[in-house]
Amino acid sequence: MLCAEFDVIALGSYAINALGPDSDIDAIFLLDDAYPQAEAEEHAQQFLAFVSRLRQLGTPIQVDLRLRGEGSQGLLVRTYAGFQSYELDRMEMWERFALGHARLVRGREEVVDLVLRAAYAQPVTPERLNELVRMKRRIESERNTPKYFKRNVKIGYGGLSDIDWFVHILEMRYPTATKAGLALGTVDRLRAI
């Protein structure tokens, strides 16, 4: 079972306590730099195998670690230094966007600060904004059909997702003024803005 002392950071709807029946549990695992990487990866594999067995028994739990650095090709567990190095050298804007909803599930409180610093470290230039808009359009086309674009309350035109993205991009653009990362719920974030 999970023996390594992972810091588990919730992302997405899991971070804002808005899981639905079909929601994945998006998370990343971080770890102290001194812990052996190979052992940490093995423990993460064991944890995912355990969750998979629970799912086979009918538990509606699906843990998704694809928001980690390098996505499904990357390490399951990052050390703090490894996370910071990835953030400085290779982290894309959509990854920073995904880290903007972060909440500690287990571990050290200061690790959330590390994640939120990465989320809001880059200014939103026109090019980076276009990257985020392309990502949003891709998500909409993958999760919705054209005939429901105007009727889907969550990801349709003018839906809840549009509001959330608008708020989040404002937070990324003005992280200090909006107190980005302090509030997780959309209503609280709107109030902060």
Side-chain angles (χ1 to χ4, degrees):
M1 193 43 156
L2 189 63
C3 299
E5 290 296 317
F6 297 129
D7 297 295
V8 179
I9 308 297
L11 302 173
S13 58
Y14 182 35
I16 62 172
N17 294 312
L19 289 174
D22 295 332
S23 297
D24 290 342
I25 294 176
D26 291 314
I28 56 173
F29 295 160
L30 297 176
L31 190 65
D32 188 87
D33 298 333
Y35 203 89
Q37 183 69 47
E39 194 174 325
E41 289 291 307
E42 183 180 328
H43 291 162
Q45 294 275 0
Q46 291 170 2
F47 173 74
L48 293 175
F50 176 74
V51 170
S52 178
R53 284 194 300 276
L54 288 176
R55 191 156 171 80
Q56 291 170 354
L57 296 172
T59 305
I61 298 172
Q62 179 77 22
V63 176
D64 187 349
L65 301 179
R66 290 178 296 173
L67 293 177
R68 67 189 186 271
E70 282 109 24
S72 59
Q73 304 302 313
L75 297 169
L76 293 173
V77 184
R78 286 267 179 192
T79 62
Y80 306 145
F83 178 83
Q84 288 176 307
S85 174
Y86 178 76
E87 186 267 320
L88 289 172
D89 297 336
R90 300 180 304 281
M91 189 174 282
E92 296 181 39
M93 200 63 177
W94 70 266
E95 293 175 285
R96 293 178 190 282
F97 186 88
L99 295 177
H101 290 126
R103 174 178 59 84
L104 182 68
V105 175
R106 174 182 189 264
R108 300 177 188 169
E109 283 291 333
E110 60 271 16
V111 176
V112 174
D113 294 335
L114 176 75
V115 171
L116 290 174
R117 272 195 306 275
Y120 299 106
Q122 295 292 322
V124 179
T125 63
E127 296 80 20
R128 291 177 178 145
L129 179 60
N130 286 334
E131 179 186 337
L132 291 173
V133 169
R134 280 193 303 275
M135 174 59 71
K136 183 168 185 340
R137 296 294 172 244
R138 192 181 111 209
I139 290 168
E140 289 170 344
S141 67
E142 288 175 359
R143 297 183 187 169
N144 205 354
T145 57
K147 73 179 191 177
Y148 294 117
F149 276 155
K150 293 184 179 177
R151 292 191 278 174
N152 189 314
V153 174
K154 183 175 179 182
I155 58 173
Y157 294 133
L160 298 173
S161 176
D162 284 345
I163 295 167
D164 187 55
W165 277 69
F166 175 73
V167 168
H168 197 82
I169 288 171
L170 275 176
E171 290 172 330
M172 292 180 82
R173 180 108 190 219
Y174 308 105
T176 305
T178 60
K179 299 177 184 169
L182 295 180
L184 290 173
T186 302
V187 173
D188 292 334
R189 292 164 56 218
L190 280 166
R191 285 187 183 120
I193 290 172

